Amino acid sequence: MNKLTGAQILMQMLKEEGVDTIFGYPGGVVLDIYDELARTDLRHILVRHEQGAVHAADGYARATGKVGVCLVTSGPGATNTVTGIATAYMDSIPIIVFTGQVPTKLIGNDAFQEVDIVGITRPCTKHNYLVKDVKNLAKTIKEAFHIARSGRPGPVLIDLPKDVSISKTNFKVPDDVELRSYNPTYVPNKKQLEKVVALIKKAKKPVIFTGGGVILSKAHKELAELAKKTKIPVTGTLMGLGGFPGTDPLWLGMLGMHGTYRANMSVSECDLMLAVGVRFDDRVTGKTDEFATDAKIVQIDIDPTSIQKNIQVAIPVVGDCKITLEMLNQLINKENTDDYEQKHKKWLDKIKNWKHTTPLAYNQKNVIKPQYVIEKLYELSKGEAIITTEVGQNQMWASQYYHFNQPGRFISSGGLGTMGFGLPAAVGAQAGMPDKLVVDIAGDGSIQMNIQEMATAVQYNLPVKIIILNNGFLGMVRQWQELFYDRCYSSTKFVHTPDFVKLAEAYGAVGLRATKPKEVESVLKKGISSPGPVIMDFVVEPEECVYPMVPAGAPISKMLLV
Amino acid sequence: MTEKKHLLSILVENEPGVLSRIAGLFSGRGYNIESLCVAETADPLVSRITMVTIGDSFILEQIKKQLNKLINVIKVSDLTGLDYVGRELVLIKINAKTENRAEILRVIDIFRGQVVDVGQDHYTISITGDTEKISAILNLLKPFGIRELARTGSIALFRENKSK
Ligand SMILES: Cc1ncc(C[n+]2csc(CCOP(=O)(O)OP(=O)(O)O)c2C)c(N)n1
């Protein structure tokens, strides 16, 4: 057997795991790894900040369904990844973060650029490792990929001391991973599903409520089959967008704080809720005591800790969403003779009426409305774009006014709400999906948090389009101040903002601006058709609010409307 | 819902960092640890953690699920309400004036404790037993003046079915 260095083993194992792209940033203790990397045909995308590397790997994973990989140095390189890791953890995104570490001999000595990154990231990784012996490296990498992508996915970090990447050992690709302490339950208990079928047959006002789990387990086809066969309307979380076609008549729109009127009302009145791959986040439930009080709740999730955590459920089902829905469909196919169309007509009519009386709406004026920009983008991109978002109003308007018919098309930091996510995530998504139109919908605040990744986009010719809904404010915070703090705009107005058109040009990208409604379409057209990265600066209504809005802690049926 | 003490027996991989994962889980999610005891099992690759925690049934369900979710946790058993043998070891340094010595020795004797160190005016006593026994002896010894106390926390094993 030939002996390989740790760095060589790392390269071999990445190839073995099907990795072709990694996002990273070099430094002292990973020099040997970078030296080896240069000899492989792996594509390394040099970001401009390690946070960008993690978000890019995350965006790549969400867009492609593969595991995203990044590589950074020790100390500050490692600490810069923490926000990205926590973002991926909250949204259950499979990524592997390789961090360099000082030589094993120096660990614990406060050596130059030493930080206990395994300790720091323990609560925000699915699992993490410090590899102390090169002999364990291959097995650890194999395990890490297995853990990241199986069960409820999530980020895994591997800390690699410098001496481990230099030392040599015999290399053999490890056998398949067997972990006695980790065996996710994929196949649900059939008895539970029989109870679910009985509830479906009895229900008069059922709702399906979907989340990121549907997308992660690729259960969208099975979900559509179930909904269409049983004529049950579907709502979803922010993370669930694209799990069910956003243009289907059964789609209710998003649920929760900025959910549609009909989604929030349907859930408040339903008598059966089939919750699939959701964790009942407080942004979705509002006041939990008044959440779906009339409903029997069925919760399907691969992670037992998600079940019964925030909301009491009648029937817990632990299993993979795709497999579970497949089995559920089989059961329903077998015995069902009910005419669901007829049975649910009254309920669906009621919902249709809600949509009619209280649709998503905004007042058009002679200034650009941010909602209008997104409606136009949807139209011009024919709903085919991959949309990433920043955080705040931009994110909510993107989720309300762009309609997603497929999974992997809406890429947004749901759980952590990380400003600065959108641009690097777009870079990563574009790297994984070179033929797709990738658009980051941004606010003028968020975009400045990782603006440096423009240089990455330009260097690798990743033609991402950035739409800045420029309201001159930290808009979402301003909205709360307007509604709940007597308009005291404490530290939410930007007194100085860069000229984003010039900034784009300084980075070697194209910069465009629209200040009037009639310019919106032409700027979008020009931006979309430009071959490289583009920043489009839309100067929008400064004090527009996102509606509907459920005030924090209120029940979701109590919405503030336009 | 009412809070109750629970005795958990947790088998984990005997690896560095495992205890800090568990401690971090408890502090991060605001759960309580009342006592904690860790040591290797007969299999050197596995350690047993015996833990007393407090919470209502809702919290306990989450604690058990969250523990199980940790990659290094092999098995979690809640011994509360089951048939188990539980023991704790306590070392007690107590004031032992001449006039009290006979009385203290009598108490220790009843509880099958041992004097493991004697000084001019103190005894150090070692005693093992279940939680009730330990609190009983502590109550009896308190009037003499307890100077220092070290407890291991409970360890426990499930009782096997005897008729086999
Ligand atoms: C890293 C980070 N810091 C702070 C916040 C709190 N926050 C949430 S929304 C928001 C305002 C975002 O402003 P902008 O990016 O301009 O978007 P807008 O709401 O105006 O669309 C802030 C500050 C956050 N989510 N993330």
Side-chain angles (χ1 to χ4, degrees):
Chain A
M1 222 183 319
N2 58 345
K3 287 200 177 228
L4 298 187
T5 66
Q8 289 167 332
I9 291 173
L10 172 57
M11 297 305 137
Q12 289 286 326
M13 287 306 295
L14 290 177
K15 206 183 270 173
E16 190 65 28
E17 294 293 337
V19 176
D20 54 23
T21 304
I22 64 180
F23 303 88
Y25 209 92
V29 296
V30 288
L31 273 166
D32 301 280
I33 297 175
Y34 271 89
D35 189 55
E36 202 53 50
L37 185 62
R39 282 179 250 276
T40 69
D41 51 10
L42 272 167
R43 174 168 61 153
H44 178 267
I45 294 184
L46 175 65
V47 294
R48 297 302 189 265
H49 186 300
E50 289 89 351
Q51 184 186 351
V54 188
H55 290 327
D58 177 323
Y60 176 92
R62 296 191 207 217
T64 62
K66 295 193 274 189
V67 178
V69 178
C70 47
L71 168 63
V72 302
T73 192
S74 67
T79 50
N80 272 347
T81 64
V82 173
T83 303
I85 295 173
T87 302
Y89 184 65
M90 287 293 270
D91 290 345
S92 310
I93 305 303
I95 57 169
I96 308 278
V97 178
F98 291 99
T99 49
Q101 181 55 281
V102 301
T104 40
K105 274 203 318 289
L106 291 182
I107 290 179
N109 279 9
D110 299 326
F112 178 63
Q113 296 193 325
E114 177 188 359
V115 75
D116 174 15
I117 196 65
V118 168
I120 289 172
T121 59
R122 220 169 256 141
C124 61
T125 47
K126 184 171 173 185
H127 198 54
N128 60 18
Y129 299 90
L130 166 64
V131 182
K132 282 187 163 166
D133 184 340
V134 69
K135 289 198 199 75
N136 298 330
L137 181 59
K139 180 173 155 282
T140 303
I141 296 173
K142 182 106 188 164
E143 258 179 45
F145 273 86
H146 172 68
I147 289 171
R149 62 162 82 95
S150 61
R152 177 178 177 175
V156 178
L157 180 140
I158 302 181
D159 204 17
L160 296 171
K162 185 175 169 87
D163 51 322
V164 171
S165 60
I166 308 171
S167 354
K168 286 189 169 184
T169 188
N170 291 327
F171 173 71
K172 175 174 152 282
V173 176
D175 298 332
D176 281 346
V177 183
E178 275 255 7
L179 292 166
R180 64 174 153 182
S181 54
Y182 174 73
N183 285 300
T185 307
Y186 284 87
V187 181
N189 182 324
K190 203 164 163 201
K191 289 234 169 60
Q192 294 291 87
L193 294 186
E194 281 161 4
K195 289 189 215 157
V196 177
V197 174
L199 286 182
I200 292 177
K201 285 164 101 178
K202 265 213 321 247
K204 294 202 173 66
K205 298 192 283 182
V207 165
I208 297 174
F209 170 35
T210 66
V214 169
I215 292 179
L216 291 164
S217 77
K218 304 185 173 69
H220 48 286
K221 288 209 182 80
E222 291 73 13
L223 172 71
E225 187 185 335
L226 175 68
K228 285 176 184 168
K229 193 169 305 153
T230 55
K231 293 286 176 290
I232 301 181
V234 184
T235 181
T237 65
L238 186 80
M239 293 303 299
L241 296 181
F244 187 77
T247 51
D248 193 286
L250 285 169
W251 176 243
L252 297 171
M254 189 171 74
L255 182 71
M257 183 170 272
H258 296 295
T260 63
Y261 184 77
R262 63 186 192 282
N264 286 359
M265 293 312 289
S266 304
V267 163
S268 300
E269 287 195 14
C270 69
D271 63 359
L272 172 66
M273 170 182 274
L274 301 177
V276 192
V278 298
R279 59 185 173 85
F280 294 98
D281 180 274
D282 52 275
R283 280 291 187 267
V284 150
T285 60
K287 188 174 180 200
T288 47
D289 299 345
E290 293 184 41
F291 180 78
T293 36
D294 297 338
K296 286 225 154 60
I297 300 179
V298 173
Q299 189 180 358
I300 300 168
D301 206 292
I302 195 155
D303 177 4
T305 67
S306 288
I307 297 181
Q308 213 94 263
K309 185 174 64 180
N310 304 332
I311 293 276
Q312 285 283 2
V313 304
I315 305 188
V317 181
V318 178
D320 172 70
C321 292
K322 185 184 175 80
I323 295 173
T324 306
L325 291 180
E326 212 168 77
M327 287 169 66
L328 200 55
N329 284 331
Q330 276 167 15
L331 288 174
I332 286 173
N333 281 338
K334 206 157 44 184
E335 38 179 303
N336 168 52
T337 51
D338 295 5
D339 180 1
Y340 285 108
E341 181 115 47
Q342 201 46 42
K343 234 178 67 179
H344 295 163
K345 185 167 186 311
K346 242 176 87 186
W347 175 230
L348 292 171
D349 283 348
K350 188 167 193 183
I351 290 170
K352 215 182 281 168
N353 192 46
W354 280 326
K355 182 174 183 181
H356 187 70
T357 59
T358 324
L360 278 178
Y362 61 96
N363 300 312
Q364 191 59 269
K365 282 202 291 187
N366 202 25
V367 281
I368 301 175
K369 288 289 178 134
Q371 300 93 326
Y372 174 70
V373 177
I374 298 180
E375 274 181 340
K376 274 285 155 207
L377 171 69
Y378 175 69
E379 221 178 277
L380 293 171
S381 62
K382 304 185 185 68
E384 289 289 311
I386 293 177
I387 303 291
T388 71
T389 76
E390 302 294 341
V391 169
Q393 295 181 315
N394 57 83
Q395 180 184 32
M396 292 301 121
W397 285 318
S399 70
Q400 292 178 331
Y401 289 91
Y402 204 98
H403 310 294
F404 300 92
N405 283 331
Q406 283 167 56
R409 292 289 167 82
F410 181 69
I411 297 178
S412 188
S413 168
L416 201 67
T418 308
M419 290 171 69
F421 172 78
L423 173 53
V427 165
Q430 188 79 77
M433 303 292 260
D435 300 328
K436 279 271 164 204
L437 171 63
V438 179
V439 182
D440 173 28
I441 295 177
D444 48 318
S446 302
I447 194 63
Q448 296 185 65
M449 282 213 177
N450 273 317
I451 189 74
Q452 76 286 346
E453 299 311 327
M454 279 306 292
T456 313
V458 172
Q459 176 173 336
Y460 294 92
N461 193 24
L462 298 165
V464 298
K465 316 298 177 205
I466 295 141
I467 290 181
I468 301 178
L469 301 173
N470 189 345
N471 52 19
F473 279 105
L474 294 170
M476 185 57 94
V477 182
R478 186 209 60 76
Q479 172 168 347
W480 284 56
Q481 291 172 332
E482 174 184 332
L483 298 174
F484 312 117
Y485 292 86
D486 284 335
R487 291 185 164 246
C488 171
Y489 291 164
S490 175
S491 296
T492 43
K493 177 139 188 67
F494 281 135
V495 178
H496 178 77
T497 300
D499 178 334
F500 288 114
V501 172
K502 283 192 189 149
L503 187 64
E505 287 163 357
Y507 273 116
V510 173
L512 302 168
R513 177 173 294 125
T515 54
K516 297 191 200 71
K518 63 174 196 305
E519 294 164 358
V520 169
E521 185 162 340
S522 61
V523 164
L524 281 172
K525 273 187 176 155
K526 198 165 167 205
I528 290 174
S529 59
S530 302
V534 180
I535 292 181
M536 291 168 257
D537 184 22
F538 293 91
V539 179
V540 299
E541 171 85 80
E543 296 192 40
E544 185 72 9
C545 286
V546 180
Y547 291 114
M549 177 172 192
V550 178
I556 55 168
S557 57
K558 302 272 185 308
M559 288 160 269
L560 308 175
L561 298 165
V562 187
Chain B
M1 255 181 284
T2 50
E3 297 213 329
K4 205 176 126 185
K5 274 191 196 184
H6 284 254
L7 183 66
L8 303 181
S9 179
I10 309 159
L11 291 177
V12 300
E13 306 275 2
N14 188 3
E15 271 177 27
V18 176
L19 189 58
S20 95
R21 281 179 210 281
I22 291 179
L25 170 68
F26 274 72
S27 63
R29 293 187 181 267
Y31 307 145
N32 297 304
I33 298 179
E34 197 172 275
S35 73
L36 184 73
C37 220
V38 197
E40 219 172 86
T41 61
D43 177 352
L45 297 177
V46 177
S47 292
R48 182 187 300 277
I49 296 178
T50 315
M51 179 194 284
V52 177
T53 178
I54 304 180
D56 59 32
S57 58
F58 209 67
I59 299 273
L60 250 292
E61 188 186 325
Q62 268 298 313
I63 290 179
K64 284 182 256 176
K65 286 177 178 177
Q66 292 286 358
L67 282 169
N68 265 313
K69 187 171 162 178
L70 294 177
I71 306 287
N72 297 134
V73 170
I74 302 167
K75 190 169 178 224
V76 181
S77 329
D78 188 350
L79 299 177
T80 320
L82 300 180
D83 194 9
Y84 67 86
V85 264
R87 289 290 181 275
E88 185 175 2
L89 169 67
V90 187
L91 294 176
I92 310 162
K93 195 183 284 173
I94 188 174
N95 289 333
K97 301 212 184 77
T98 325
E99 65 268 31
N100 293 335
R101 289 198 171 197
E103 177 64 15
I104 292 172
L105 286 176
R106 200 152 41 236
V107 173
I108 295 170
D109 198 38
I110 296 170
F111 285 88
R112 297 187 209 297
Q114 282 168 324
V115 176
V116 288
D117 185 38
V118 189
Q120 285 284 317
D121 55 356
H122 84 272
Y123 281 156
T124 300
I125 299 157
S126 129
I127 180 134
T128 56
D130 59 19
T131 318
E132 283 96 74
K133 178 172 163 187
I134 302 291
S135 37
I137 191 171
L138 287 177
N139 270 334
L140 289 172
L141 292 180
K142 212 182 257 161
F144 301 105
I146 294 175
R147 289 192 194 171
E148 275 185 290
L149 187 73
R151 305 175 66 149
T152 58
S154 288
I155 53 167
L157 286 178
F158 182 64
R159 261 187 227 275
E160 293 291 328
N161 201 340
K162 280 174 198 140
S163 54
K164 227 205 267 181

